[in-house]
Amino acid sequence: MPDYRSDSVPADLDGLVTLAHVIYALHAFAVVSGIVGSATVIGSFVASLPSILAVVLNYMKRSAVRGTWLESHFRWQIRTFWFALLWIFVAVGMVFTLIGIPFALVLIGVATLWIIYRVIRGWLNLLDRSVMPMPEA
C-alpha cells in the first residue's frame, strides 16, 4: 500500500477533503432515509438521488485525489456503492427461488449493517485524516 502522509493537508486538498465530507454526508442521508422511510437502507443507498450524486462526484474528482491519502476514501466510497448494488442483485436472484427468500432477507439485513459500518468508519477516519485500508492492486 502506498505510504500516504495524512498528518498535514496541503491547501489544494482542503476543498477535496470538504468534498469527501459532503459525499459521506450524502451517503449517510441515504442511509437515514432508508431507516426512517418506507425503503430499505440498501435500496435507499443505491437508488436514491443523494447516493447516486455521491458516486458521480467520486468519479468526477477521483483523478484529483490520485496519489494522496484521500484516494483511499474515494475508493472506499465507490466500492461501498458498487458492492451494495451487487448484494441487491444477489438478493433479487435469491428471491426468484422460494428456498432463497429467507437467505435474501438475511443478505439484505447483513448488507444494511455493512453499509452503515462503512459509512461510519469511513467518515470517522476522514475526520481523523486517516487512510482507509485498500486492497492490493
Side-chain angles (χ1 to χ4, degrees):
M1 179 162 51
D3 182 29
Y4 299 115
R5 293 208 35 168
S6 63
D7 53 345
S8 65
V9 179
D12 58 331
L13 280 185
D14 282 341
L16 293 170
V17 170
T18 301
L19 178 63
H21 281 292
V22 168
I23 291 169
Y24 280 120
L26 288 168
H27 283 312
F29 180 77
V31 167
V32 171
S33 296
I35 291 171
V36 300
S38 61
T40 63
V41 169
I42 192 169
S44 177
F45 187 80
V46 297
S48 69
L49 188 58
S51 258
I52 293 170
L53 176 61
V55 82
V56 167
L57 289 170
N58 275 133
Y59 279 110
M60 286 175 56
K61 292 297 185 175
R62 191 168 155 181
S63 62
V65 298
R66 189 158 287 123
T68 71
W69 65 276
L70 284 173
E71 180 179 11
S72 67
H73 283 276
F74 277 59
R75 181 176 169 95
W76 180 267
Q77 293 164 337
I78 289 168
R79 290 173 61 90
T80 301
F81 179 85
W82 288 114
F83 274 101
L85 186 62
L86 173 67
W87 302 139
I88 285 177
F89 283 126
V90 171
V92 167
M94 289 177 167
V95 168
F96 287 120
T97 66
L98 291 177
I99 297 170
I101 291 173
F103 296 112
L105 294 174
V106 169
L107 177 61
I108 289 170
V110 169
T112 294
L113 295 175
W114 178 80
I115 289 168
I116 293 169
Y117 161 77
R118 286 187 59 103
V119 170
I120 291 171
R121 180 174 179 202
W123 210 350
L124 289 175
N125 277 17
L126 182 64
L127 287 168
D128 289 341
R129 299 189 185 280
S130 318
V131 176
M132 297 305 300
M134 289 177 49
E136 295 297 321

